[in-house]
Amino acid sequence: MSWEGLIEENFDRFVEELKEFLKIPSVSADPRFRDDVFECADWLVKAIKDAGADKVELIPTDKYPLVYAEKNVDENAPTIWIYGHYDVQPPDPLDQWITPPFEPDIRDGAIYARGASDDKGQLYMYVKALELLNKVGKLKYNLRFLIEGEEEIGSENLEKYILQNHDSMKGDMVLVSDTALPGPETPGITVSLRGICYFEVSAYGPSHDLHSGTYGGAVQNPVHAIAHLIIALRDPITGRIMIPGFYDDVKELDPEERELVRKGSWNDEEIKKSLGIDALIGEAGFSPFESATIRPSMDVNGIWGGYTGEGSKTIIPSEAHAKISFRLVADQSWQKINEAFKKFVEEFKVPGIRFEVKTFHGGDPVKTPLEFWGYQKAANAMEQVFGKKPIPLYTGGSIPVLATWQRKTGMPPILMGFGLESDRIHAPNEHFNLNLFRKGINTICTLLSSEL
Ligand code: BES
Ligand code: ZN
């Protein structure tokens, strides 16, 4: 039987197994889920063993383990590294989920759970593709799985692992499914991801909360100070980020490449409607889509301070905080932006306030050259399964470790994702279209069995 027949015959079982994977709340950001993250790594080891890998092991790190596996078919064949992550984002806000985040539910042809699309559902396609290719004896490439449990918190330990072990990481490409397609019938391959640099900024004022009647008007309020800082970081008219030197390394795309970007653009009207907003914003001279993909951006991910409970309370809080991140594009380096941001805050003076900056993590932008043979292979596989040629996609999200991986080993990433922008990743009611789960397995089998 072909793998296509086997996908159909085994599909219900694949979905049941994926449900087991999704039930494990492997939230890397929150230490309360620590044991679950470890359990999830063990679960994955067993799943890859059962799929028929030659060797599977857990590689311990300072935080969560890497899952490493090998399948060798022919020493003269190219070696493909498969990357993915078994950790997930926090499920909050919990009350907005229709069914609980770690009790997978099937509705309208999709599986709903935290991590369904990002990235457990997409990662699991590789485990099942390995199982099927072993059964039909069609695997043509040597495989190396390197799966981490810290992607959603910046990949610090996988980064360290690569910096220490790149000499022994021989291979030809890094294959990843952790991105989205333009539509369920429209294939695409991501060729550009933005980098990221993530901070927490704190503003400290009086040594304790004050009565705002006694001191209001005389003592600077840390929440005001944080607000001032945030406003100063981005020009409200041009949308440009005001950190000196921020744009120094930004490479403008030539008109041909910009046209390519435009081909993969969303439709502004549709996006506004689907998001329930009446306007999009953007950097002067660039469309909203360009501003979210090929231009750097700044976001406040959260801000808190003072009294936020029921009813009212009259105080000047003693401190306030914000989580601020920047998305970066070629050739910006997150290390440089890290320094530039810290300097900006250091020089931003608000009398009566002391600012502190903590850097959480960062990663550089990545690009896949369209001429790379691996891109052509992946594009052919997608075309066979979807009946249409995939378009190159410029994506605004980040996978922080890939730039280092490419720089240290020379392996370009192939970002062959099967999610949809509407999957609600990082949000309540995350889901993954089961038909794309099926097509993903099919495409991966097609690619990994293609003639060298
Ligand atoms: N799967 C995403 C990357 C992504 C986002 C692809 C949007 C396509 C569209 C990935 O798992 C992710 O969310 N990465 C984080 C990294 C960060 C926490 C360091 C991101 O981009 O926020
Ligand atoms: Zn994510």
Side-chain angles (χ1 to χ4, degrees):
M1 202 191 275
S2 69
W3 67 75
E4 275 177 291
L6 287 171
I7 293 175
E8 290 322 311
E9 201 176 279
N10 292 284
F11 197 69
D12 291 346
R13 172 172 60 87
F14 291 178
V15 173
E16 286 310 307
E17 290 169 5
L18 174 58
K19 279 188 182 168
E20 295 305 312
F21 195 15
L22 290 168
K23 277 183 196 165
I24 310 169
S26 49
V27 180
S28 52
D30 185 342
R32 283 176 301 181
F33 293 94
R34 188 175 179 277
D35 292 350
D36 302 295
V37 185
F38 278 94
E39 186 197 325
C40 194
D42 289 338
W43 189 94
L44 187 59
V45 166
K46 178 164 185 312
I48 300 177
K49 266 190 196 146
D50 291 349
D54 299 335
K55 162 174 153 184
V56 191
E57 62 189 30
L58 272 185
I59 302 175
T61 76
D62 288 344
K63 196 158 190 168
Y64 294 128
L66 304 169
V67 174
Y68 176 78
E70 285 184 5
K71 180 77 197 176
N72 294 303
V73 287
D74 174 357
E75 60 180 30
N76 296 314
T79 296
I80 297 183
W81 287 70
I82 293 160
Y83 166 80
H85 60 97
Y86 65 83
D87 65 323
V88 301
Q89 286 266 325
D92 319 71
L94 285 174
D95 60 346
Q96 289 179 27
W97 285 81
I98 294 167
T99 51
F102 299 109
E103 293 172 29
D105 187 47
I106 314 279
R107 316 192 274 279
D108 312 321
I111 183 162
Y112 282 76
R114 168 58 82 237
S117 170
D118 181 12
D119 179 40
K120 286 176 176 172
Q122 299 209 54
L123 169 58
Y124 204 58
M125 299 184 308
Y126 288 88
V127 183
K128 294 300 100 179
L130 173 63
E131 174 188 318
L132 297 181
L133 289 171
N134 275 335
K135 264 193 199 137
V136 296
K138 292 257 169 75
L139 181 63
K140 293 266 172 52
Y141 299 81
N142 302 309
L143 301 182
R144 306 280 177 268
F145 285 75
L146 186 56
I147 314 298
E148 66 163 321
E150 295 179 33
E151 197 270 351
E152 302 291 8
I153 52 171
S155 306
E156 198 181 321
N157 286 306
L158 176 54
E159 166 112 14
K160 268 193 210 153
Y161 178 84
I162 292 172
L163 292 174
Q164 285 163 8
N165 295 284
H166 58 89
D167 282 340
S168 55
M169 294 172 66
K170 300 270 181 283
D172 298 277
M173 68 168 100
V174 187
L175 186 57
V176 187
S177 292
D178 192 22
T179 51
L181 296 169
E185 316 283 340
T186 315
I189 296 176
T190 294
V191 294
S192 167
L193 284 172
R194 291 195 288 183
I196 190 168
C197 197
Y198 202 110
F199 304 95
E200 186 167 311
V201 181
S202 299
Y204 297 101
S207 59
H208 51 276
D209 288 3
L210 305 178
H211 190 293
S212 66
T214 316
Y215 296 102
V219 172
Q220 183 57 272
N221 183 317
V223 181
H224 276 253
I226 283 263
H228 279 304
L229 174 75
I230 289 168
I231 295 302
L233 278 164
R234 192 175 77 183
D235 186 290
I237 310 288
T238 64
R240 283 177 70 94
I241 291 146
M242 303 300 281
I243 300 170
F246 186 85
Y247 291 91
D248 284 1
D249 299 323
V250 173
K251 250 190 18 215
E252 290 247 356
L253 302 191
D254 59 45
E256 280 145 53
E257 195 174 357
R258 220 171 146 182
E259 179 54 27
L260 205 58
V261 176
R262 209 191 51 77
K263 288 206 173 106
S265 173
W266 64 46
N267 173 296
D268 285 356
E269 291 311 312
E270 277 171 22
I271 286 289
K272 281 193 281 186
K273 212 170 141 217
S274 75
L275 303 183
I277 49 180
D278 62 7
L280 292 167
I281 58 170
E283 185 183 336
F286 297 92
S287 71
F289 182 76
E290 288 177 319
S291 303
T293 53
I294 56 162
R295 299 296 296 171
S297 64
M298 168 193 153
D299 279 289
V300 181
N301 302 273
I303 178 166
W304 68 104
Y307 184 69
T308 55
E310 288 290 316
S312 62
K313 185 180 185 218
T314 46
I315 55 158
I316 297 173
S318 111
E319 55 188 73
H321 311 266
K323 295 193 192 277
I324 297 175
S325 60
F326 298 89
R327 297 280 170 178
L328 311 176
V329 301
D331 289 327
Q332 284 177 300
S333 116
W334 81 267
Q335 299 285 7
K336 266 194 182 173
I337 298 302
N338 178 31
E339 291 310 317
F341 178 73
K342 286 196 290 196
K343 185 153 182 278
F344 183 92
V345 180
E346 206 178 288
E347 290 172 359
F348 190 81
K349 301 289 181 216
V350 177
I353 297 290
R354 178 175 58 83
F355 286 110
E356 253 178 39
V357 179
K358 190 173 151 207
T359 306
F360 272 39
H361 53 71
D364 287 337
V366 287
K367 277 191 130 178
T368 305
L370 284 174
E371 317 75 58
F372 174 49
W373 64 267
Y375 180 86
Q376 288 313 322
K377 282 258 168 237
N380 290 342
M382 275 210 154
E383 188 177 355
Q384 279 187 46
V385 172
F386 286 80
K388 280 183 241 172
K389 268 198 176 31
I391 50 171
L393 302 170
Y394 289 72
T395 295
S398 312
I399 302 178
V401 81
L402 291 180
T404 303
W405 196 331
Q406 181 174 13
R407 192 159 58 224
K408 284 293 174 189
T409 66
M411 294 183 234
I414 293 296
L415 301 156
M416 197 172 73
F418 295 90
L420 292 171
E421 301 293 353
S422 55
D423 284 349
R424 306 210 172 184
I425 65 173
H426 296 205
N429 306 310
E430 175 176 354
H431 55 279
F432 186 32
N433 180 315
L434 285 174
N435 202 33
L436 288 172
F437 180 56
R438 176 186 278 116
K439 279 188 173 169
I441 300 170
N442 193 357
T443 308
I444 294 162
C445 287
T446 307
L447 170 59
L448 297 182
S449 62
S450 63
E451 290 307 323
L452 312 181

